[in-house]
């Protein structure tokens, strides 16, 4: 069994507040939101970080990027949104399953 928190969320072993899923990704609310809206977009495949992306993932990466504005709109973020990808310990990554943070609304901290 996987020890990865996001694989466990994918498999329903850990509950989450899911807002979207398809055959490639799933999206849920961050447990410690840093803004009014704080979603995590995660590929179904366990990919550790940006460091582990290969050409076979090009379609997945494009899918994820193109999905972000759609999700932001659905969350009412008509004015814009912020995306963050932390990579490696030096980049502040805590969960080593690739994910994109989508943040917006009130309480968005300064960058
Ligand atoms: P990272 O620092 O790796 O880029 O971000 C990991 C994020 O995952 C953090 O913002 C943290 O709050 C969130 N997180 C960690 N564990 C859980 C969990 O069990 N459920 C949810 N919904 N979010 C989590
Ligand atoms: Zn995983």
């Amino acid at each position: 069994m996987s020890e990865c928190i996001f694989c466990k969320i994918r498999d329903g072993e850990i509950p989450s507040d899911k807002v979207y899923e398809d055959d490639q990704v799933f999206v849920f609310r961050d447990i410690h939101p840093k803004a009014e809206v704080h979603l995590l977009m995660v590929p179904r495949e366990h990919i550790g970080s940006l460091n582990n992306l290969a050409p076979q993932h090009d379609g997945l990466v494009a899918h994820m990027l193109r999905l972000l504005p759609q999700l932001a709109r659905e969350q009412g973020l008509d004015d814009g949104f912020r995306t963050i990808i932390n990579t490696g310990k030096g980049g502040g990554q805590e969960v080593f399953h690739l994910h994109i943070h989508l943040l917006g609304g009130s309480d968005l901290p300064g960058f």
Side-chain angles (χ1 to χ4, degrees), residues 5-6 9 28-32 40 86 92-95 99 101:
I5 290 176
F6 288 173
I9 288 177
F28 53 95
R29 295 190 190 281
D30 196 293
I31 203 165
H32 295 128
L40 299 172
N86 296 322
Q93 187 176 6
E94 291 176 355
V95 177
H99 53 281
H101 297 256

Side-chain angles (χ1 to χ4, degrees), residues 2 4 6-7 46 97:
S2 174
C4 168
F6 288 173
C7 283
H46 179 93
H97 181 145

Side-chain angles (χ1 to χ4, degrees), residues 2-8 10 42-47 95-98:
S2 174
E3 288 307 311
C4 168
I5 290 176
F6 288 173
C7 283
K8 287 183 172 172
R10 175 196 63 205
V42 183
R44 287 195 179 280
E45 178 182 344
H46 179 93
I47 300 166
V95 177
F96 283 77
H97 181 145
L98 178 65

Side-chain angles (χ1 to χ4, degrees), residues 14-71:
I14 294 176
S16 70
D17 192 352
K18 223 170 257 183
V19 302
Y20 175 89
E21 62 182 321
D22 63 28
D23 59 335
Q24 296 186 80
V25 301
F26 56 105
V27 182
F28 53 95
R29 295 190 190 281
D30 196 293
I31 203 165
H32 295 128
K34 305 246 179 347
E36 186 183 7
V37 175
H38 186 173
L39 305 181
L40 299 172
M41 178 186 286
V42 183
R44 287 195 179 280
E45 178 182 344
H46 179 93
I47 300 166
S49 77
L50 286 182
N51 288 324
N52 304 108
L53 282 177
Q56 75 204 53
H57 299 119
D58 286 356
L60 169 67
V61 171
H63 177 63
M64 292 175 79
L65 292 182
R66 282 167 44 77
L67 201 52
L68 288 162
Q70 179 188 317
L71 285 163

